[in-house]
Amino acid sequence: MKRLLPVLACSATLLLAACSQGNSVPVAQAAAPESDTGGSRHGDFGPPQGEPIKAVLTSPPNVPPATQRNYPAKVIVELEVTEVDMQIADGVTYTFWTFGGTVPGSFIRVRQGDTVEFHLKNHPSSKMPHNIDLHGVTGPGGGAASSFTAPGHSSQFTFKALNQGLYVYHCATAPVGMHVANGMYGLILVEPPEGLSPVDHEFYVMQGDFYTVGKYREKGHQPFDMQKAIDENPTYVLFNGAESALTGPRALKTQTNQKVRMFVGNGGPNLVSSFHVIGEIFDKVQYEGGTRFQENVQTTLIPAGGAATVEFHTEVPGNYVLVDHSIFRAFNKGALAILEVAGEQRADIYSGKQLDEMYIGDKMASMAPVAEAVKASSTGQLTKEQQIQAGAVLFKGTCSTCHQDTGQGIPNVFPPLAKSDFLLADKNRAIGIVMNGLSGPVTVNGATYNSVMPPMSQLNDDEIANILTYALNSWGNKDGTVSVEDVKKVRANTKRPEGAAH
Amino acid sequence: MRKLMLALLLATSAANAAAAEQSATTVIPGGKFESVLPPAPGVKEVSLKPFQLDRRPVTNAQFATFLKTQPQWRRDKIAHIFADDQYLSHWQSPAEPRKEDLQRPVVNVSWFAATAYCESRGARLPTWYEWEYVAAASNTARDGRDDPAWRQQILNWYSRSGRDALPTVGSTPANFYGIQDLHGVIWEWVEDASGMLVSSDNREQGDPNVMRFCGEGALTMEQKENYATLMRIAMLSSMKARYTGGAMGFRCATGGRDGK
């Protein structure tokens, strides 16, 4: 029935427009169902019924069970504010100000129309007074003024949850930015009267930005940096308040063929999140308290002080990475979380890697000379000319990207091989460089280059010998050969880094 | 009555020479400054007469001495309207602090008790403006509030959990005026803590509720980047006069505004 409403509403609106010039307008209006669900105007289901219920609060990433109620109740919420030192990154601690001892704070779940009796307790060890502004409250300050609480005290206020939806709550004590930056936010879900559709897993994830005096991952206890916060230049952007909150052993876990629902909030204080799960598409996204949903969403915007409910179905096993797709935040500031999906492979949906081979694009050349050289080498009849021809093919596939087909390199970036004093000076050094790579400054023909050449671990000794023989006899170079024995000698004298191939 | 108490205190002052020594005061020259709380709309500066201020916060030892002469302020005797249940709860007995706390600032004291202590010395709590004026000084400058390094140093106290033991008084460097421990140790009661923010007849300060939540506070307060001071105000405004706190202490002042 609910799904039908928007359709009906649309046709009624059209009808209304079509008739607006006639005198039947009042009739059409009287017949038109409302195009919305009524919001707070329709959220009051009368006085609370039954015995008061103590709300189940959960720590992230857990979500309390559904209320499973079909009547409005009085729900008692007891939330304790504590100021605690916790790890924000490996070896880095921070004094978080918390609702319930965690960042984000405890998840609260009530039903639309419930009367919520809210008790805010401020632990005696707190340095600061605190309060709470719940975005799900209708009333000035969202409860902030009524819940202002000194350390070692508690306050109480009551509100009726008139609007359904997923709402952020946060501390609103001066200086509010600092209270929020220290982790004082969480989510309250006001279920629609009919409840949410059943799913297999519900998770609670909330993004926040953090400002420390020390740099990202600088060890030790890090104080809050006010100037960075004002400049909106966070040191960390995190899901659930710590870099390792949802990774490794603490990763979110589910199986294939499950319906997953995530309640995703953004505490800010400053940044807007481009929330994305790598390798998944959200089948449904409901913004804030929306009664409609958007489908097939890749990335959804979650404003600071806002939230969205995302749902998707798992098909393919593996690790799915939750990120803020403002992507430097993910890889340089910590905005990463992992969802582990266990189950049977589904190669019909996603194959995994099926092929990994050299791609040499339009430089495609016959590999015949290479095969010919290998054959000749095995019988001890390899000629210098064969080496050069095989080396030319291999050079194009392996070396020319940087050193160029002409052997000229790229000025200031990749050194030349053509008439290179560095190359020609020492055959064994050249073998070693191909084998092991080279990084740091070198002087070639009077110019300094400071880049990185990775080890060409994929090349075997024949291939290295042929490539270098080609290089020593091309672009004006006329100097000798490199034999496979030369290469073997260098390899025997080279200490291979651990884990390197060959 | 008050005069009588003062006389009593003077009579015993010789015995308390050591304690009296610690409550050494410093003369603060008068002057003008810009408070984060403008005294009236459109008025920026606050004028202060010279006054004397305790160099250090009042210690548990000093407060214990006070309770010997005025036992009605002991935790087992105090009237419920003057203090909450946490009052002096960190002491080992109603009359005695723990030994390790003797030279630490007394905390878990209500505004009423702090006021009574200062009156017993013929003094009073400093006003907010007096406190803010002296606390604006850095270690080297009369007004260090624009110095980002100084501001950050003050803020760092808030980046530490309140579960750590308090330091003994005098553990922080003297500021420009020679006053210690204004930052980084405890919160401090001021004379007009309740009148300033919670319920006041003083119309000049506008809506007495403005500070009770930051959305509005941010509109009216000056120096919005002065987080350390804003937090002081938030803290004081959360406290009722009978409330106590594990990091809430005080120091006394004399002279100044009414020549007391």
Side-chain angles (χ1 to χ4, degrees), chain A residues 196-327:
Chain A
L196 298 176
S197 63
V199 293
D200 299 302
H201 280 280
E202 290 184 330
F203 295 113
Y204 170 23
V205 176
M206 199 157 181
Q207 182 172 322
D209 26 304
F210 296 86
Y211 304 82
T212 63
V213 170
K215 291 196 292 271
Y216 174 65
R217 287 185 174 173
E218 190 171 317
K219 304 284 186 218
H221 189 80
Q222 289 296 335
F224 166 72
D225 189 311
M226 186 193 67
Q227 197 54 50
K228 283 185 189 166
I230 292 173
D231 294 343
E232 304 193 9
N233 175 28
T235 324
Y236 294 88
V237 181
L238 301 171
F239 294 118
N240 289 6
E243 228 184 348
S244 57
L246 297 172
T247 60
R250 297 164 77 192
L252 304 174
K253 290 179 179 69
T254 185
Q255 298 86 40
T256 49
N257 301 314
Q258 302 278 293
K259 266 185 103 169
V260 174
R261 176 182 287 139
M262 285 184 183
F263 298 105
V264 188
N266 184 3
N270 288 321
L271 299 188
V272 166
S273 174
S274 303
F275 184 70
H276 177 81
V277 177
I278 298 173
E280 262 298 346
I281 296 143
F282 305 137
D283 297 329
K284 278 168 69 174
V285 173
Q286 273 174 287
Y287 303 104
E288 313 288 351
T291 51
R292 278 76 156 171
F293 50 82
Q294 185 58 272
E295 293 184 274
N296 308 318
V297 177
Q298 55 187 308
T299 299
T300 193
L301 207 60
I302 304 181
T309 305
V310 306
E311 289 179 22
F312 53 90
H313 186 258
T314 56
E315 277 90 14
V316 179
N319 281 358
Y320 293 79
V321 185
L322 285 61
V323 295
D324 180 341
H325 216 294
S326 299
I327 207 71

Side-chain angles (χ1 to χ4, degrees), chain A residues 155-457:
Chain A
S155 347
Q156 178 189 332
F157 69 102
T158 301
F159 68 94
K160 189 169 273 189
L162 295 179
N163 292 78
Q164 61 171 276
L166 184 62
Y167 295 99
V168 168
Y169 66 77
H170 63 89
C171 183
T173 299
V176 66
M178 182 175 175
H179 283 255
V180 173
N182 283 345
M184 297 201 78
Y185 43 75
L187 291 179
I188 177 171
L189 172 66
V190 182
E191 292 179 353
E194 71 276 16
L196 298 176
S197 63
V199 293
D200 299 302
H201 280 280
E202 290 184 330
F203 295 113
Y204 170 23
V205 176
M206 199 157 181
Q207 182 172 322
D209 26 304
F210 296 86
Y211 304 82
T212 63
V213 170
K215 291 196 292 271
Y216 174 65
R217 287 185 174 173
E218 190 171 317
K219 304 284 186 218
H221 189 80
Q222 289 296 335
F224 166 72
D225 189 311
M226 186 193 67
Q227 197 54 50
K228 283 185 189 166
I230 292 173
D231 294 343
E232 304 193 9
N233 175 28
T235 324
Y236 294 88
V237 181
L238 301 171
F239 294 118
N240 289 6
E243 228 184 348
S244 57
L246 297 172
T247 60
R250 297 164 77 192
L252 304 174
K253 290 179 179 69
T254 185
Q255 298 86 40
T256 49
N257 301 314
Q258 302 278 293
K259 266 185 103 169
V260 174
R261 176 182 287 139
M262 285 184 183
F263 298 105
V264 188
N266 184 3
N270 288 321
L271 299 188
V272 166
S273 174
S274 303
F275 184 70
H276 177 81
V277 177
I278 298 173
E280 262 298 346
I281 296 143
F282 305 137
D283 297 329
K284 278 168 69 174
V285 173
Q286 273 174 287
Y287 303 104
E288 313 288 351
T291 51
R292 278 76 156 171
F293 50 82
Q294 185 58 272
E295 293 184 274
N296 308 318
V297 177
Q298 55 187 308
T299 299
T300 193
L301 207 60
I302 304 181
T309 305
V310 306
E311 289 179 22
F312 53 90
H313 186 258
T314 56
E315 277 90 14
V316 179
N319 281 358
Y320 293 79
V321 185
L322 285 61
V323 295
D324 180 341
H325 216 294
S326 299
I327 207 71
F328 273 94
R329 299 175 189 169
F331 296 106
N332 299 80
K333 297 190 173 187
L336 277 177
I338 302 285
L339 172 68
E340 286 177 19
V341 179
E344 293 292 312
Q345 286 296 341
R346 285 290 303 274
D348 56 326
I349 297 174
Y350 184 76
S351 71
K353 194 175 228 178
Q354 293 176 306
L355 190 66
D356 182 356
E357 64 182 15
M358 191 192 291
Y359 172 69
I360 53 177
D362 58 4
K363 292 171 189 149
M364 186 63 183
S366 166
M367 298 299 277
V370 177
E372 195 183 311
V374 169
K375 198 176 162 200
S377 175
S378 67
T379 58
Q381 297 176 333
L382 185 64
T383 64
K384 184 175 175 183
E385 197 50 39
Q386 281 173 321
Q387 276 197 287
I388 290 170
Q389 281 175 13
V393 173
L394 292 164
F395 184 89
K396 283 191 179 184
T398 305
C399 319
S400 66
T401 311
C402 298
H403 293 292
Q404 306 299 302
D405 285 337
T406 57
Q408 297 295 333
I410 292 178
N412 302 319
V413 184
F414 302 119
L417 303 177
K419 296 179 182 165
S420 159
D421 56 359
F422 188 83
L423 170 67
L424 301 176
D426 187 340
K427 186 164 87 174
N428 287 332
R429 178 172 67 185
I431 295 168
I433 290 171
V434 175
M435 206 177 284
N436 302 312
L438 178 69
S439 63
V442 290
T443 303
V444 182
N445 295 348
T448 302
Y449 295 83
N450 193 355
S451 338
V452 175
M453 172 168 160
M456 298 295 141
S457 311

Side-chain angles (χ1 to χ4, degrees), chain A residues 52-236:
Chain A
I53 294 165
K54 196 163 180 239
V56 176
L57 305 186
T58 57
S59 301
N62 301 313
V63 178
T67 65
Q68 309 234 327
R69 262 188 289 113
N70 56 7
Y71 62 90
K74 179 176 182 178
V75 179
I76 296 164
V77 175
E78 294 190 357
L79 194 53
E80 184 190 46
V81 173
T82 54
E83 301 171 1
V84 285
D85 293 348
M86 292 191 290
Q87 189 163 294
I88 190 168
D90 191 29
V92 190
T93 55
Y94 187 79
T95 300
F96 293 92
W97 300 349
T98 74
F99 287 108
T102 56
V103 177
S106 306
F107 196 103
I108 306 167
R109 186 166 192 160
V110 300
R111 178 181 179 269
Q112 189 181 14
D114 280 349
T115 297
V116 182
E117 183 183 292
F118 207 102
H119 298 257
L120 190 72
K121 303 166 176 179
N122 191 358
H123 195 273
S125 70
S126 293
K127 276 189 176 154
M128 301 297 301
H130 299 288
N131 63 6
I132 191 166
D133 167 356
L134 298 115
H135 291 178
V137 166
T138 304
S146 317
S147 61
F148 192 37
T149 310
H153 292 83
S154 74
S155 347
Q156 178 189 332
F157 69 102
T158 301
F159 68 94
K160 189 169 273 189
L162 295 179
N163 292 78
Q164 61 171 276
L166 184 62
Y167 295 99
V168 168
Y169 66 77
H170 63 89
C171 183
T173 299
V176 66
M178 182 175 175
H179 283 255
V180 173
N182 283 345
M184 297 201 78
Y185 43 75
L187 291 179
I188 177 171
L189 172 66
V190 182
E191 292 179 353
E194 71 276 16
L196 298 176
S197 63
V199 293
D200 299 302
H201 280 280
E202 290 184 330
F203 295 113
Y204 170 23
V205 176
M206 199 157 181
Q207 182 172 322
D209 26 304
F210 296 86
Y211 304 82
T212 63
V213 170
K215 291 196 292 271
Y216 174 65
R217 287 185 174 173
E218 190 171 317
K219 304 284 186 218
H221 189 80
Q222 289 296 335
F224 166 72
D225 189 311
M226 186 193 67
Q227 197 54 50
K228 283 185 189 166
I230 292 173
D231 294 343
E232 304 193 9
N233 175 28
T235 324
Y236 294 88

